[in-house]
Amino acid sequence: MSQVTPVPAYILGMSPNGLSMVQCLGHHGIPCVALDAVASNPSLRSRYCRPVVMPPLKEQPGAWLDFLMKEPARKGISGVLLPAGDEAALFVSRNRQRLGERYRFVQPDAELMEAFPNKKLWHELAESAGMPLPQTLFPKSVEEIRANADKLRYPVAIKPVYSHFWSQHPGNPYRAEKLCAAENLEEAIRYWEEMDRIGLEVMLTELIPGGPESLYGVVTYIDRKGTVQGSIVVHKLRQTPADYGVASVMISVEEPEARELAINFLKKINYRGIGHIEMKRDERDGKFCLIETNARHILFGSLLVAAGYELPLIAYKDALEQELNVSDKYRAGVRWIQFEGDYGTYRVYKKRGWITRWQWIRSLLPGRKAFAYFDWRDPMPFWVAFRRFVWRWRHGRLD
């Protein structure tokens, strides 16, 4: 008797977020179709996926919808949808009725999905749930900033209301950074005016004291019935860019207070699916403060798998209404490394006299490790990424 092929998973976006899903599911024999707009993306070279190069999702969402709806179906099901970024998660949510005819996926309701990528709506949601938050202002004018000057403690961050718009806007000189930091009112106004001129909606939010080592994340899955199916706490050690950016080195840790805060928030808002809560420990009082929530898979997904929390498999099984019984136990001390980004951060730290070459190397060595691109069973994405790193290094493009 021939073996039945599992329902395929469709991964929408192939950053390291998507690659970690493809590799996790591929190791379990689940076929994957990977959609991305960048043909040179190293992740598309994974042996575990059928790569499909699409036009940019932001510009042509209809093309993505047409492709997915034309995919072959088996017993009425084409596959399981797993978005790997905010834009893809919103695409699925906004087309949930049509896509639901052919695909299985688990997401929060449409109202929540619209709130999470929009930091203003998210802030209002978290505030109504009684969560600890930094002081924040969403001004519409310079006059409003001045009128509310006493409501903010400086320094403040000038951050995008929609993160993916910030990084994609060609006129934004700070798009490589996650935010701009202002030390005083006049500097905040200057940044706000600069963003307003190019049409980017931004917020002013208190910068909680402490470096990247004060940042934690809680990743969990709440199934379609509302049951928490495991969780894991991660701690950021370094980031890229060095001062305000995305993780370049993470480690799994035990931190019950952070986990409890995140789970309580998600339960209060009746959340479903993959949830990632980022928070920061305020060095002034030692308490955690919520920063943001992601309603999709995350950058350091391979860390979760290496720590024993196979989040992509959990999401896949729940979408197909298969039985779940996930333990809360995971390995602490697993280190995730995005080498190219962390090398850039090391160079910045070295110039500032904060670290030596050997200190940096030693910081990467302890414990079990996971990587953004490297997997012994799936080497091609790493080699493509490594060749890109060498080319950039030789041509002085790493700064």
Side-chain angles (χ1 to χ4, degrees):
M1 181 182 292
S2 61
Q3 189 174 4
V4 177
T5 303
V7 173
Y10 285 73
I11 314 300
L12 308 185
M14 282 299 285
S15 63
N17 309 34
L19 178 61
S20 64
M21 286 194 280
V22 163
Q23 290 175 335
C24 174
L25 296 173
H27 295 161
H28 287 277
I30 297 167
C32 295
V33 181
L35 280 66
D36 197 86
V38 181
S40 60
N41 191 328
S43 301
L44 288 176
R45 302 296 296 277
S46 171
R47 64 187 287 257
Y48 293 117
C49 72
R50 169 165 68 93
V52 179
V53 179
M54 298 291 294
L57 178 56
K58 180 182 177 181
E59 298 171 12
Q60 298 188 49
W64 287 58
L65 184 60
D66 288 345
F67 171 84
L68 290 169
M69 297 308 293
K70 289 176 182 176
E71 282 290 274
R74 186 182 62 192
K75 295 182 179 179
I77 302 175
S78 293
V80 173
L81 291 181
L82 295 171
D86 290 340
E87 205 163 37
L90 280 173
F91 164 77
V92 173
S93 180
R94 290 169 180 173
N95 296 280
R96 63 175 66 206
Q97 185 171 356
R98 181 95 185 275
L99 289 169
E101 298 169 6
R102 298 279 297 276
Y103 293 88
R104 301 294 177 261
F105 50 90
V106 179
Q107 281 190 327
D109 64 38
E111 187 176 353
L112 279 179
M113 281 303 303
E114 292 296 327
F116 284 125
N118 183 320
K119 289 186 172 61
K120 185 176 189 299
L121 296 178
W122 178 86
H123 191 274
E124 292 171 354
L125 181 70
E127 193 171 42
S128 67
M131 295 294 108
L133 297 164
Q135 295 176 336
T136 304
L137 187 65
F138 296 89
K140 296 296 184 183
S141 66
V142 171
E143 291 73 26
E144 189 177 348
I145 298 175
R146 293 192 184 279
N148 291 277
D150 59 341
K151 294 182 180 179
L152 289 174
R153 287 184 291 192
Y154 286 85
V156 300
I158 290 77
K159 297 175 67 174
V161 171
Y162 284 101
S163 297
H164 54 287
F165 289 167
W166 173 279
S167 60
Q168 294 171 5
H169 197 298
N172 179 13
Y174 312 107
R175 62 183 179 272
E177 305 281 343
K178 201 172 184 180
L179 56 85
C180 299
E183 296 295 330
N184 53 57
L185 175 63
E186 295 307 318
E187 196 172 357
I189 289 173
R190 179 173 62 81
Y191 280 126
W192 185 91
E193 289 181 324
E194 195 172 356
M195 296 298 102
D196 186 57
R197 278 195 296 271
I198 62 173
L200 274 175
E201 187 179 1
V202 295
M203 57 195 273
L204 275 60
T205 185
E206 174 190 10
L207 274 171
I208 303 297
E213 68 283 351
S214 299
L215 289 163
Y216 291 77
V218 179
V219 186
T220 189
Y221 190 87
I222 301 181
D223 68 23
R224 58 178 61 248
K225 297 178 182 178
T227 302
V228 177
Q229 297 289 348
S231 61
I232 182 170
V233 184
V234 293
H235 180 202
K236 186 183 283 189
L237 300 182
R238 284 192 295 269
Q239 58 193 1
T240 179
D243 295 318
Y244 305 106
V246 297
S248 59
V249 181
M250 299 283 286
I251 188 170
S252 57
V253 296
E254 297 283 355
E255 186 51 76
E257 184 184 347
R259 180 191 181 278
E260 183 178 359
L261 182 62
I263 298 298
N264 285 344
F265 172 53
L266 294 176
K267 282 184 173 180
K268 281 184 177 182
I269 61 175
N270 199 31
Y271 191 87
R272 296 292 185 272
I274 295 173
H276 168 225
I277 311 293
E278 187 174 349
M279 60 187 72
K280 191 169 187 179
R281 192 194 293 276
D282 192 330
E283 63 182 24
R284 294 170 296 195
D285 57 15
K287 296 180 179 179
F288 284 107
C289 192
L290 266 62
I291 304 297
E292 63 180 34
T293 302
N294 294 307
R296 39 77 177 170
H297 202 55
I298 36 74
L299 177 67
F300 43 89
S302 58
L303 165 59
L304 312 185
V305 176
Y309 188 51
E310 294 188 295
L311 186 61
L313 185 63
I314 296 167
Y316 174 87
K317 285 185 173 182
D318 189 39
L320 296 175
E321 300 186 41
Q322 297 176 5
E323 184 178 354
L324 294 173
N325 186 19
V326 182
S327 171
D328 270 334
K329 295 182 180 179
Y330 59 87
R331 300 183 190 93
V334 178
R335 199 169 298 248
W336 178 86
I337 301 166
Q338 203 282 74
F339 184 81
E340 184 175 344
D342 201 55
Y343 179 75
T345 297
Y346 149 70
R347 285 160 60 92
V348 172
Y349 281 12
K350 187 172 183 291
K351 287 178 182 178
R352 295 175 181 175
W354 293 359
I355 196 169
T356 66
R357 178 183 300 174
W358 293 113
Q359 286 173 333
W360 174 63
I361 292 172
R362 284 197 299 269
S363 75
L364 302 176
L365 297 179
R368 187 182 180 119
K369 281 172 280 294
F371 301 90
Y373 290 107
F374 181 74
D375 185 319
W376 283 111
R377 294 168 290 184
D378 187 27
M380 191 55 70
F382 166 76
W383 286 116
V384 175
F386 182 71
R387 287 199 299 267
R388 179 182 65 183
F389 168 78
V390 171
W391 186 91
R392 293 183 67 205
W393 175 72
R394 291 183 63 184
H395 292 82
R397 301 287 182 86
L398 289 174
D399 291 327

